[in-house]
Amino acid sequence: MVGPMGRTVEDATKILEIIAGYDADDPLTKNSNGNIPLTYTQFLDSNALVGARIGVLRELSDDNPNPEIKRLFEQSLLDMDSLGATVVAPIVVPDFASLKENQWCAPFREDVEGFLANYVKNDSIKTIEDIIKVGSTSKFAKERLLRNAEHTGRWEDSEIPCLDAYSDVRRVAFREAIENVMDSLNLDAIVYPSWNNPPARIDRFQEEYLGDNNQIISPHTGQPAFTVPMGFTAKNLPAGLQFLGKMYDEPILIGLAYSYEQGTKHRKTPNLQKAPTHNKPE
């Protein structure tokens, strides 16, 4: 499950406003009927954190974090408190460690080859194997293509069927455990670092990519999540804060993310290089 990316919370919200809703080519979207507001931009509220209750999932944030990311995350909690939120820390999701396991399914071949057939329509590129033959300069991309070509079904237990977030027994159980805790504590959202480590640089990707938190819950449970900048490391690498909500709580998350963004102003433009200076001839 993926979502729109934009320069700002407002930009991402405007994209969501366009893509949300029923799509006849995607039967799963029928579940959104009755759950889509007239507009999402109406929820861009800079004061949304005032009175909000934010849970801190330490089981993710304290899982061997980089010291700089930990410092930025702890500061984000202080910032949310100063912006009017009540920070509830820590929260505990019963059996979280076991529930998060065995969630990954592999419809990669089906999805990619369906895309090739419906949109690319190239007789020489119809399968994953055709893509592999074309080749890539990225060792990581090659390895991932081969791995996904070889796997089907649930990676860790192929005996359990791979279904959607509304009917897959493991996905539903994971979501219910999280949402039950949110209901019991009257939480508006749960937060954790999007990544516990600085992002991997392109030229050192193989050794620096250490995994991320934003693939652990939301892609499997169907719960919405919103990532916003929470600052930069000493080497000027960005760090993200993720807000996780209950199913169809996008309006709440938009408000919280926007309020945090406007209250902290962490975003920098991607091009931070100064224009070169040229000496003028005497």
Side-chain angles (χ1 to χ4, degrees), residues 75-142:
Q75 183 59 51
S76 78
L77 301 180
L78 295 175
D79 291 339
M80 283 185 277
D81 178 79
S82 68
L83 291 168
T86 296
V87 177
V88 182
I91 66 165
V92 177
V93 177
D95 300 319
F96 182 84
S98 61
L99 286 169
K100 74 176 182 178
E101 297 300 322
N102 204 6
Q103 290 287 345
W104 281 105
C105 287
F108 184 77
R109 177 181 294 275
E110 179 184 345
D111 290 344
V112 169
E113 294 180 359
F115 176 82
L116 293 174
N118 293 324
Y119 299 100
V120 177
K121 300 179 181 179
N122 185 317
D123 288 340
S124 63
I125 305 178
K126 294 183 176 181
T127 67
I128 292 179
E129 285 73 20
D130 292 335
I131 297 175
I132 292 172
K133 288 177 184 176
V134 172
S136 171
T137 58
S138 167
K139 180 182 177 182
F140 176 80
K142 291 177 183 178

Side-chain angles (χ1 to χ4, degrees), residues 71-262:
R71 176 183 60 78
L72 291 171
F73 180 64
E74 297 303 326
Q75 183 59 51
S76 78
L77 301 180
L78 295 175
D79 291 339
M80 283 185 277
D81 178 79
S82 68
L83 291 168
T86 296
V87 177
V88 182
I91 66 165
V92 177
V93 177
D95 300 319
F96 182 84
S98 61
L99 286 169
K100 74 176 182 178
E101 297 300 322
N102 204 6
Q103 290 287 345
W104 281 105
C105 287
F108 184 77
R109 177 181 294 275
E110 179 184 345
D111 290 344
V112 169
E113 294 180 359
F115 176 82
L116 293 174
N118 293 324
Y119 299 100
V120 177
K121 300 179 181 179
N122 185 317
D123 288 340
S124 63
I125 305 178
K126 294 183 176 181
T127 67
I128 292 179
E129 285 73 20
D130 292 335
I131 297 175
I132 292 172
K133 288 177 184 176
V134 172
S136 171
T137 58
S138 167
K139 180 182 177 182
F140 176 80
K142 291 177 183 178
E143 291 176 349
R144 284 300 173 98
L145 277 172
L146 288 169
R147 185 184 72 173
N148 283 292
E150 294 169 358
H151 284 82
T152 58
R154 196 178 297 270
W155 284 26
E156 297 171 16
D157 188 346
S158 59
E159 297 299 314
I160 303 175
C162 282
L163 303 174
D164 59 58
Y166 298 88
S167 52
D168 189 297
V169 292
R170 290 200 61 82
R171 294 186 182 194
V172 172
F174 196 15
R175 179 175 66 251
E176 288 182 346
I178 294 168
E179 292 194 349
N180 286 342
V181 170
M182 294 183 72
D183 288 338
S184 69
L185 297 174
N186 194 28
L187 299 178
D188 294 285
I190 293 172
V191 293
Y192 41 85
S194 302
W195 294 53
N196 277 357
N197 293 278
R201 291 168 290 183
I202 292 175
D203 58 343
R204 302 179 188 179
F205 187 81
Q206 293 294 118
E207 63 265 31
E208 291 186 351
Y209 175 72
L210 300 173
D212 53 278
N213 292 329
N214 61 16
Q215 296 188 63
I216 292 175
I217 302 175
S218 181
H220 311 296
T221 64
Q223 293 169 256
F226 210 127
T227 289
V228 287
M230 68 173 183
F232 291 79
T233 69
K235 293 183 178 180
N236 208 32
L237 295 172
L241 173 69
Q242 185 156 102
F243 290 86
L244 176 79
K246 293 189 293 184
M247 191 78 102
Y248 294 110
D249 266 1
E250 285 88 350
I252 294 175
L253 293 188
I254 288 168
L256 297 176
Y258 184 73
S259 182
Y260 177 79
E261 174 195 59
Q262 296 300 303

